[in-house]
Amino acid sequence: PGGKQLEPLKYGKVATEASVSRKKVECCILGTMSLLYHCLEKGMSVAFVLRDVGVLLIEGSMVLMRFYLDFLEKVTGERIQDRATLKALQQLDMVVSRVVPVASLSFSGRVIIFPK
């Protein structure tokens, strides 16, 4: 939809950036996608911990993205010190602490966490 073209993942570029072999990158990505597919097929809750960004939680038909405060500060280009702004972000369920257990973000308290 919208005339957007999908680009194939450049395994070689990922391998170079991560300083590992292309085969290892391919195996890791395909293994992760396979596990994700099976978890979602069985209705399990999954969470992707995105380093320096936040947590993407998929639970049933609900998808929720929560961001680390320092990531939001980088995006906005300013410190979020105002208590009212911070409280509003928390009430909108947009902010998550790095120290909060990921399972506590789900309704069931049980979640498969990627990557591990």
Side-chain angles (χ1 to χ4, degrees):
K4 295 190 180 197
Q5 298 259 339
L6 290 179
E7 284 188 37
L9 184 59
K10 295 174 175 73
Y11 293 106
K13 186 173 181 181
V14 174
T16 301
E17 294 280 329
S19 300
V20 296
S21 71
R22 177 189 162 90
K23 183 163 180 66
K24 183 169 187 159
V25 168
E26 219 170 312
C27 287
C28 286
I29 291 172
L30 293 175
T32 299
M33 295 311 297
S34 177
L35 179 57
L36 175 63
Y37 173 81
H38 289 292
C39 289
L40 294 176
E41 185 178 52
K42 294 178 190 253
M44 300 171 83
S45 298
V46 297
F48 279 92
V49 178
L50 306 171
R51 183 184 53 169
D52 298 331
V53 176
V55 178
L56 175 67
L57 177 68
I58 305 169
E59 193 164 30
S61 61
M62 181 190 75
V63 178
L64 175 69
M65 183 69 206
R66 297 229 180 135
F67 300 96
Y68 298 134
L69 185 60
D70 57 330
F71 172 77
L72 290 176
E73 289 175 339
K74 281 182 195 173
V75 170
T76 62
E78 57 189 61
R79 298 263 317 144
I80 301 174
Q81 295 175 336
D82 178 15
R83 284 176 139 338
T85 303
L86 186 55
K87 187 168 181 138
L89 289 171
Q90 289 170 333
Q91 288 175 337
L92 292 171
D93 286 335
M94 290 183 64
V95 178
V96 66
S97 167
R98 292 178 187 272
V99 296
V100 168
V102 175
S104 70
L105 301 176
S106 75
F107 292 117
S108 66
R110 296 176 59 208
V111 64
I112 304 296
I113 301 171
F114 291 85
K116 277 285 181 191

